[in-house]
Amino acid sequence: MKDNMVDVFSNPDQRELLRQYEQLKGIRFFIVNDLKNRIEQVLLVLNSPPIVIGRIKNFESYFRKYISILKTGNNTPCITDLIGIRIVCPFIEDLTEVERLIKINFNVTEAERKGHYTFKEFGYESTHLLIKIPEDIINTRGKADCEIAEIQIRTILQDAWAEVEHELVYKAEFTPFDEPMKRKLAAVNASLSLADLIFQEIRSYQRQLNSELEKRRESFFQKIEESTDALLFSEENAEKIENTAGYADFEPFSGENVSIDDLLLRALSAHNKNNFDEAASLYSRILEHKPDNTISSIIFKHRGMAHFACSKYTEAIDDFNHALELDSKSYKAAYYRGVVNSVVKKYSQAIDDFTNSLIINPYQPFCLFRRGQAYYHIGDYPKALSDCDSSIALEPNNDAVHKFKDLLKDKLKM
């Protein structure tokens, strides 16, 4: 508070403070809402934007803090969290990035990482930043007797613990004294902290897995293009495209006690290094663990893709057959089997596979394109053109499909 708001700090007038608080309450609501909206815009660049919550300190909390500051001998209390913003992030790694973005976009006057490990504070953790409220907001809304706002950055679990801690400690008249109760509270906090770490590990694993999956898809689709698209525009239709990929060195396992997750990640890594035999072997090891039908279907599908990359078409079709037997809704397995059947020029079977895939999931421009190619090879140009148009409707910017359509129009003398 400013000096001119209360004349005698040693004996504050609560009613006068309340009057002043209420007088500025509306302006503060506008400021906190503007600040919240601006922070949300800043954080939109994140893949998973956190939850942003704004609040103004209620009078009871404000007055209690005001008195506590007076007790320290400070006769000019300055309360920096009248306006507060809480940013709640899904994962630990988000905390650093959020803090970085806040520091880039706002004038941060103070930064503090709170992490208490005594029983009194029960292990509460949070990052607290004090920022200057942007001048344009103050100029628009008016002065509210506060130039600073507090931003708290926490994970979801840190925020949950902070809420419980607030009820158990700060709002309670007394805290537990017996050691068993202290240990229980400490155990709860340790469990939440461990859960945060585990969630972060899972997210990091998923990111690595998704990266490997994306690399594998790109390699697979490149093989499809080499094996099918060339047939449309080359006179050497009968020539079989051999696999010429080199084999990268693969680091062996340091031990045999590995999980299915570890095996899958290593298999995908080998797959992406074009070490297809090693990848197929690792997929086989996963299947030896006899996972449930859904997982087994996925592994058969992956192994089929590895066999396809090695031009082992019979083995690939067998694996896609197994994938579909275990999961009849695996539209990708049906699509991949159709691709292999196209490569070995079993076009009628390929059309059946592509149709099955489209029945399960009709929104597949690439599947429509491949079925159109199969129709082309059996001489059914009108159906090929219909699939081509449907594919373009779903994915207008695919140059390969437009090139295919031009070929069809030429065949149909359009």
Side-chain angles (χ1 to χ4, degrees):
M1 300 293 293
K2 292 183 179 179
D3 294 346
N4 60 359
M5 295 200 69
V6 179
D7 294 329
V8 184
F9 290 96
S10 59
N11 188 24
D13 186 333
Q14 187 184 60
R15 287 176 298 182
E16 176 60 17
L17 287 172
L18 177 59
R19 184 191 68 79
Q20 296 168 357
Y21 174 90
E22 292 293 336
Q23 185 178 13
L24 297 172
K25 185 176 180 180
I27 297 176
R28 290 171 184 159
F29 269 121
F30 282 120
I31 291 175
V32 76
N33 188 62
D34 290 347
L35 194 55
K36 172 181 174 293
N37 290 338
R38 185 163 301 184
I39 290 173
E40 286 176 335
Q41 290 298 312
V42 166
L43 301 181
L44 280 177
V45 297
L46 300 176
N47 290 330
S48 299
I51 298 170
V52 181
I53 304 166
R55 66 105 182 101
I56 63 169
K57 204 173 192 69
N58 63 44
F59 180 75
E60 181 182 16
S61 298
Y62 160 74
F63 187 70
R64 185 165 57 246
K65 189 164 189 177
Y66 188 93
I67 295 298
S68 69
I69 294 175
L70 285 178
K71 288 179 179 178
T72 65
N74 185 345
N75 290 331
T76 57
C78 178
I79 298 177
T80 56
D81 62 347
L82 272 170
I83 290 176
I85 299 291
R86 187 187 312 167
I87 303 175
V88 184
C89 306
F91 301 100
I92 292 174
E93 69 177 8
D94 299 327
L95 303 178
T96 302
E97 183 62 14
V98 168
E99 182 178 351
R100 185 185 72 83
L101 289 170
I102 295 298
K103 287 181 175 179
I104 290 174
N105 290 277
F106 297 91
N107 185 352
V108 177
T109 63
E110 184 178 324
E112 180 182 7
R113 289 172 181 79
K114 295 190 176 182
H116 310 305
Y117 300 100
T118 66
F119 163 70
K120 181 178 180 181
E121 283 128 343
F122 301 113
Y124 165 82
E125 293 185 3
S126 184
T127 298
H128 289 206
L129 305 176
L130 296 183
I131 68 165
K132 283 191 174 182
I133 300 171
E135 289 186 9
D136 63 307
I137 293 179
I138 293 178
N139 292 337
T140 300
R141 299 302 183 183
K143 294 184 177 180
D145 197 48
C146 55
E147 297 178 351
I148 299 294
E150 182 184 68
I151 297 178
Q152 299 175 350
I153 309 171
R154 307 167 180 163
T155 66
I156 294 171
L157 295 182
Q158 287 172 350
D159 188 58
W161 176 249
E163 292 295 320
V164 174
E165 178 194 46
H166 187 70
E167 294 292 326
L168 291 178
V169 180
Y170 293 105
K171 292 179 69 173
E173 294 184 5
F174 63 93
T175 56
F177 292 102
D178 61 307
E179 287 301 319
M181 186 62 72
K182 293 178 183 179
R183 286 195 293 271
K184 288 177 181 178
L185 289 168
V188 170
N189 178 63
S191 296
L192 290 173
S193 298
L194 178 60
D196 250 341
L197 293 172
I198 292 173
F199 287 155
Q200 181 59 56
E201 287 180 4
I202 293 172
R203 190 191 201 194
S204 298
Y205 169 79
Q206 287 177 329
R207 183 181 291 110
Q208 186 177 2
L209 184 63
N210 288 337
S211 175
E212 297 294 343
L213 284 169
E214 184 60 32
K215 292 176 186 176
R216 185 223 59 199
R217 288 191 194 100
E218 291 176 0
S219 173
F220 183 73
F221 290 142
Q222 183 178 358
K223 171 71 173 179
I224 293 174
E225 290 168 3
E226 292 171 351
S227 301
T228 61
D229 292 1
L231 298 176
L232 296 174
F233 309 108
S234 172
E235 295 181 356
E236 301 174 339
N237 292 351
E239 181 180 351
K240 181 178 179 182
I241 299 175
E242 299 293 338
N243 174 49
T244 58
Y247 287 84
D249 293 334
F250 186 79
E251 184 180 344
F253 289 109
S254 57
E256 290 300 316
N257 295 324
V258 291
S259 68
I260 289 178
D261 286 340
D262 291 330
L263 285 170
L264 178 57
L265 195 57
R266 299 298 291 273
L268 291 172
S269 179
H271 200 148
N272 293 333
K273 293 176 181 177
N274 297 336
N275 196 341
F276 303 117
D277 287 335
E278 183 67 32
S281 175
L282 288 165
Y283 292 134
S284 297
R285 286 184 60 183
I286 296 173
L287 291 169
E288 290 172 2
H289 286 266
K290 299 187 182 304
D292 64 39
N293 286 353
T294 300
I295 295 175
S296 293
S297 176
I298 293 171
I299 300 306
F300 274 118
K301 184 176 64 179
H302 286 327
R303 193 175 71 178
M305 295 168 76
H307 286 318
F308 175 76
C310 292
S311 300
K312 296 178 179 179
Y313 300 130
T314 300
E315 292 88 340
I317 287 178
D318 286 342
D319 276 345
F320 296 139
N321 287 340
H322 285 306
L324 283 164
E325 288 169 3
L326 293 168
D327 181 6
S328 62
K329 297 298 183 182
S330 179
Y331 66 91
K332 288 185 178 180
Y335 167 68
Y336 296 153
R337 189 173 66 184
V339 167
V340 180
N341 277 321
S342 289
V343 171
V344 297
K345 301 181 182 178
K346 294 180 179 180
Y347 297 117
S348 293
Q349 293 180 31
I351 289 170
D352 290 341
D353 287 329
F354 293 137
T355 300
N356 182 30
S357 181
L358 289 164
I359 289 172
I360 302 168
N361 177 12
Y363 306 107
Q364 300 182 74
F366 44 86
C367 190
L368 287 162
F369 177 34
R370 300 303 171 192
R371 190 174 69 174
Q373 288 181 335
Y375 278 129
Y376 171 88
H377 287 296
I378 65 173
D380 195 338
Y381 302 137
K383 286 185 178 179
L385 182 60
S386 176
D387 275 349
C388 189
D389 286 336
S390 296
S391 178
I392 290 172
L394 289 171
E395 191 177 27
N397 298 321
N398 189 325
D399 292 336
V401 185
H402 284 285
K403 185 178 179 182
F404 180 43
K405 183 174 180 178
D406 290 339
L407 176 65
L408 288 169
K409 289 168 68 176
D410 183 62
K411 289 287 185 180
L412 292 168
K413 307 300 180 183
M414 295 176 65

